[in-house]
Amino acid sequence: MYRRDRSVQLGGSSSSALYNNLSVLRLPHRQLACFCAVHGPAVNVLSAAADGMGGSQRQLRAPPGGPAAAAAAVTQAAWCALPARVLLVLTSQKGVQMYESDGSVMVYWHALDITEPPPAQAVFARGIAAAGERFICVGTSSGMVLVFDIPHKGTNVTVSEVLEEHRDAITDIAAELGQAPEGAGDLVTADDAGTLCIWSSGEEFTLLNKIPAFGCTCSSVKLWNGVVAAGYGNGQIRLYEAATGVLRAEVSAHARWINALDLAPLTGKLLSGAEDSFVHVWKLSRNPDTDDVEIEHCHAECVTDTQICGARFCDPEGCSFAVTGYDLSEIFRYSQV
């Protein structure tokens, strides 16, 4: 069971109705948690102690775009934790921005090629994940995945590879930063059509499996212990074997579109949030006798009259989580009792 804790205020702003519109970075040595959520052309970055008090707040903005030089809309913001450094990555209609973890200094800027976009087709970047020892992967509206090689320090970031397996806009990217089971891959990419691609990262990224679409957008995806957890627009959560692409479980988890999934790596807890105002906590496991993937429902929380657009665990054990909602001026927090 989880109980509601003190909320974190967004400083007069709110959260946009975007997929995966919340990222959490824990700073245990300072007894703080950092949160970021997108609102239009800006990203609110704030920190708070366990009691919801104190901390700091900063606002980052996308570069200007369009004929009137209006700010471009931000599509996602997420912290990417690599072994050597942590970067805060923003995606927008203009490109990709990378900042030091506190948002104080921009490390790198990558502009999207928008010289001749197809008629009536938006151009944007979306989908962010750290992969392997030194890579950050970012998706685009054309279906390409840009692989950035991140130095241990400094600003010498380079595009080392472009993955071109998807034909539709990337919605989400997830990686398994621990030791993935042999042959299972450590990166999964999802797109608007619902296609999933499973990759093995390295000096060159290798496509291991491609799970075909079935007529529904995959809005959020996670990878844990060789299992792909995918959330869809029809409210379903599907669990696939990463090594083979075989469907292992299917749950009608929500009544409306799923906007966020998260996984607690140390326990296998799965968090899902959707437009139906509900947040669910699930437990993934493998049967030791049959090696089957099993899913168990642990907790349900209704955030009344709220279209949930972001949900993240605040610790690797899944003992606490945070939630954002469309037009909500605060971040709700919950902890285990």
Side-chain angles (χ1 to χ4, degrees):
M1 291 291 293
Y2 292 80
R3 69 169 180 221
R4 175 98 169 264
D5 293 332
R6 184 190 292 268
S7 299
V8 178
Q9 300 300 314
L10 281 171
S13 186
S14 61
S15 299
S16 295
L18 300 167
Y19 304 151
N20 310 300
N21 191 8
L22 178 64
S23 187
V24 177
L25 177 67
R26 194 181 184 200
L27 302 172
H29 59 288
R30 295 174 56 192
Q31 301 298 307
L32 288 174
C34 297
F35 306 88
C36 71
V38 176
H39 175 77
V43 178
N44 293 301
V45 182
L46 54 152
S47 61
D51 59 2
M53 306 299 288
S56 61
Q57 185 156 339
R58 183 190 300 271
Q59 192 172 80
L60 307 176
R61 301 184 75 84
V74 178
T75 51
Q76 193 179 358
W79 278 286
C80 291
L82 292 165
R85 70 194 299 189
V86 179
L87 294 179
L88 176 58
V89 181
L90 276 60
T91 57
S92 70
Q93 295 170 319
K94 300 294 287 184
V96 183
Q97 296 163 267
M98 297 186 186
Y99 291 84
E100 295 293 357
S101 60
D102 61 357
S104 59
V105 178
M106 186 191 291
V107 173
Y108 180 74
W109 157 246
H110 178 87
L112 294 178
D113 182 8
I114 55 174
T115 50
E116 293 184 14
Q121 181 173 318
V123 176
F124 56 86
R126 181 178 61 193
I128 305 165
E133 294 291 315
R134 64 176 205 271
F135 300 107
I136 290 178
C137 298
V138 177
T140 68
S141 53
S142 65
M144 295 189 300
V145 177
L146 308 175
V147 180
F148 296 95
D149 195 336
I150 310 298
H152 285 189
K153 59 182 179 178
T155 61
N156 190 28
V157 177
T158 59
V159 179
S160 63
E161 195 171 352
V162 178
L163 311 179
E164 300 185 76
E165 195 62 36
H166 290 275
R167 296 293 173 264
D168 296 272
I170 302 297
T171 51
D172 197 21
I173 303 176
E176 184 157 16
L177 292 179
Q179 187 63 41
E182 188 175 351
D186 58 358
L187 183 79
V188 58
T189 53
D191 67 27
D192 256 336
T195 302
L196 304 177
C197 290
I198 299 155
W199 310 81
S200 176
S201 68
E203 293 301 323
E204 290 187 358
F205 282 59
T206 305
L207 180 68
L208 301 180
N209 264 305
K210 190 170 184 177
I211 300 170
F214 65 98
C216 196
T217 295
C218 177
S219 50
S220 193
V221 68
K222 291 296 167 187
L223 190 58
W224 175 79
N225 197 24
V227 177
V228 176
Y232 292 89
N234 61 0
Q236 285 186 345
I237 294 174
R238 290 185 162 204
L239 304 180
Y240 295 95
E241 200 73 63
T244 61
V246 171
L247 178 64
R248 289 297 196 132
E250 185 178 22
V251 181
S252 295
H254 291 272
R256 297 189 68 184
W257 200 288
I258 292 175
N259 279 335
L261 290 182
D262 197 23
L263 260 164
L266 297 185
T267 58
K269 287 181 181 177
L270 176 68
L271 183 68
S272 62
E275 292 181 355
D276 61 1
S277 300
F278 275 90
V279 183
H280 291 288
V281 179
W282 315 80
K283 178 73 167 64
L284 304 187
S285 60
R286 283 188 181 273
N287 187 304
D289 299 321
T290 63
D291 203 38
D292 285 342
V293 178
E294 299 177 347
I295 181 169
E296 174 189 0
H297 186 260
C298 302
H299 180 77
E301 192 75 42
C302 180
V303 187
T304 308
D305 297 330
T306 300
Q307 180 181 315
I308 292 165
C309 54
R312 287 288 181 270
F313 284 119
C314 300
D315 57 89
E317 298 83 13
C319 296
S320 58
F321 63 87
V323 174
T324 54
Y326 171 54
D327 215 22
L328 201 64
S329 60
E330 55 190 326
I331 297 173
F332 291 147
R333 300 196 301 175
Y334 301 84
S335 61
Q336 206 164 19
V337 256

